[in-house]
Amino acid sequence: VNLTFGVSMFLTSKKVWARFLAPLFVLGLVFQLAGCGDNEPEQRKAFTEYLQTSVINGTKVKLPALTEEQKKAFGNYTKDYELLTGFSDQLNTAFSESMQSSMNELRSLNSMKAMVDGREKVEKAQTEVKAVQAKLDEIIKKTADSYAALKQPDDLKAVYAQAYGKIVTQQGDLAKQTLVLLDSTFDDILKISDFLKAQGDKIEYQGQVVQFTEQDALDKFNEMNKSLQNNQQQLMAVAQKIAQLM
């Protein structure tokens, strides 16, 4: 009786386990079928070729959105592409939303007198530049962390690294240079503004020119203005590099 009971329990338990394992067997079959139909190599090849021809070999850093056909061809690597375009989008947003209004206001400071009278506009612009610098650091770190987390085959990894260097590293470096030079430029403008205001009636504004009555004051002004001109020249050089890439 005990033997019959034991056999009966064994058969019953086998049926229970069979019913329990059945979905797993089916799932395993699905995995097998998915593996047989895996087109990752083709997707990787298509994405690698696109990076090489359209991103790395191209002269511009502005990347187009992928078509539905391209997304299908690249498969999961579409997300790797979106990492590059996402960085550019965040960079553009950081600059346009945070600085556009204040930079437009600075256009009215077209003379030394206007620069002195509009000091608060320069202060506002410099504050926004510092805010964008902090935002840029955040964007670069977030993008770098996402990049480090990517799992790519070695052949794609080497090509993607070049694309990342061009789109993220290069743009990020130019953006940093721009902000540093803007900050330094605003420092110079504020120093000159304060210096001119302190001169009182010892100077006379004639259009865009300032007339000094004391040589010592003129020498100090020329020294500060030289620093300002140097920063502006460097800023123009960076702007030209950016224009060539966009």
Side-chain angles (χ1 to χ4, degrees), residues 172-233:
D173 287 346
L174 288 172
K176 284 183 177 180
Q177 291 177 43
T178 299
L179 293 171
V180 168
L181 287 169
L182 277 173
D183 190 29
S184 182
T185 296
F186 292 149
D187 269 341
D188 286 339
I189 291 176
L190 291 173
K191 288 177 182 177
I192 292 175
S193 177
D194 291 342
F195 176 76
L196 293 178
K197 186 174 183 179
Q199 299 305 305
D201 57 5
K202 295 179 181 178
I203 60 174
E204 181 181 347
Y205 298 102
Q206 296 181 356
Q208 297 184 351
V209 179
V210 183
Q211 294 291 336
F212 288 82
T213 58
E214 298 180 356
Q215 184 62 43
D216 184 56
L218 175 59
D219 292 341
K220 289 181 180 179
F221 171 80
N222 286 336
E223 184 178 343
M224 288 186 288
N225 193 44
K226 183 179 180 181
S227 176
L228 174 61
Q229 295 302 318
N230 181 55
N231 275 323
Q232 288 182 326
Q233 288 175 4

Side-chain angles (χ1 to χ4, degrees), residues 157-174:
K157 185 182 296 184
V159 176
Y160 190 86
Q162 296 181 59
Y164 184 91
K166 179 178 181 179
I167 303 302
V168 178
T169 306
Q170 183 177 214
Q171 281 196 100
D173 287 346
L174 288 172

Side-chain angles (χ1 to χ4, degrees), residues 115-126:
M115 190 169 65
V116 173
D117 294 339
R119 189 185 195 284
E120 71 283 351
K121 294 181 180 179
V122 180
E123 287 182 314
K124 178 183 176 183
Q126 187 176 42

Side-chain angles (χ1 to χ4, degrees), residues 26-243:
V26 173
L27 192 58
L29 180 60
V30 171
F31 284 154
Q32 284 185 331
L33 292 175
C36 293
D38 183 17
N39 57 354
E40 186 278 332
E42 289 78 10
Q43 294 172 344
R44 188 199 327 161
K45 182 175 183 294
F47 184 54
T48 301
E49 290 177 351
Y50 180 82
L51 289 177
Q52 188 68 60
T53 57
S54 300
V55 180
I56 299 172
N57 294 343
T59 59
K60 307 297 182 182
V61 294
K62 183 176 176 58
L63 300 180
L66 296 178
T67 64
E68 290 304 316
E69 184 178 350
Q70 287 173 323
K71 290 180 181 179
K72 183 178 180 181
F74 300 159
N76 288 333
Y77 292 121
T78 295
K79 295 179 180 178
D80 296 16
Y81 183 77
E82 290 173 347
L83 177 64
L84 303 178
T85 56
F87 174 79
S88 295
D89 291 343
Q90 291 180 75
L91 188 62
N92 292 334
T93 299
F95 272 82
S96 62
E97 289 186 354
S98 301
M99 295 176 56
Q100 190 169 8
S101 61
S102 62
M103 295 302 288
N104 285 337
E105 289 183 6
L106 292 180
R107 294 179 181 178
S108 62
L109 308 183
N110 52 10
S111 68
M112 289 294 178
K113 182 67 166 60
M115 190 169 65
V116 173
D117 294 339
R119 189 185 195 284
E120 71 283 351
K121 294 181 180 179
V122 180
E123 287 182 314
K124 178 183 176 183
Q126 187 176 42
T127 298
E128 292 180 355
V129 163
K130 293 182 183 299
V132 175
Q133 283 178 314
K135 182 64 176 177
L136 177 61
D137 289 340
E138 179 184 327
I139 293 171
I140 290 176
K141 184 183 184 306
K142 180 181 177 181
T143 305
D145 289 344
S146 297
Y147 175 50
L150 292 179
K151 304 299 181 183
Q152 298 173 329
D154 290 341
D155 55 345
L156 171 59
K157 185 182 296 184
V159 176
Y160 190 86
Q162 296 181 59
Y164 184 91
K166 179 178 181 179
I167 303 302
V168 178
T169 306
Q170 183 177 214
Q171 281 196 100
D173 287 346
L174 288 172
K176 284 183 177 180
Q177 291 177 43
T178 299
L179 293 171
V180 168
L181 287 169
L182 277 173
D183 190 29
S184 182
T185 296
F186 292 149
D187 269 341
D188 286 339
I189 291 176
L190 291 173
K191 288 177 182 177
I192 292 175
S193 177
D194 291 342
F195 176 76
L196 293 178
K197 186 174 183 179
Q199 299 305 305
D201 57 5
K202 295 179 181 178
I203 60 174
E204 181 181 347
Y205 298 102
Q206 296 181 356
Q208 297 184 351
V209 179
V210 183
Q211 294 291 336
F212 288 82
T213 58
E214 298 180 356
Q215 184 62 43
D216 184 56
L218 175 59
D219 292 341
K220 289 181 180 179
F221 171 80
N222 286 336
E223 184 178 343
M224 288 186 288
N225 193 44
K226 183 179 180 181
S227 176
L228 174 61
Q229 295 302 318
N230 181 55
N231 275 323
Q232 288 182 326
Q233 288 175 4
Q234 293 184 62
L235 193 57
M236 184 62 67
V238 173
Q240 289 174 348
K241 290 181 182 179
I242 295 174

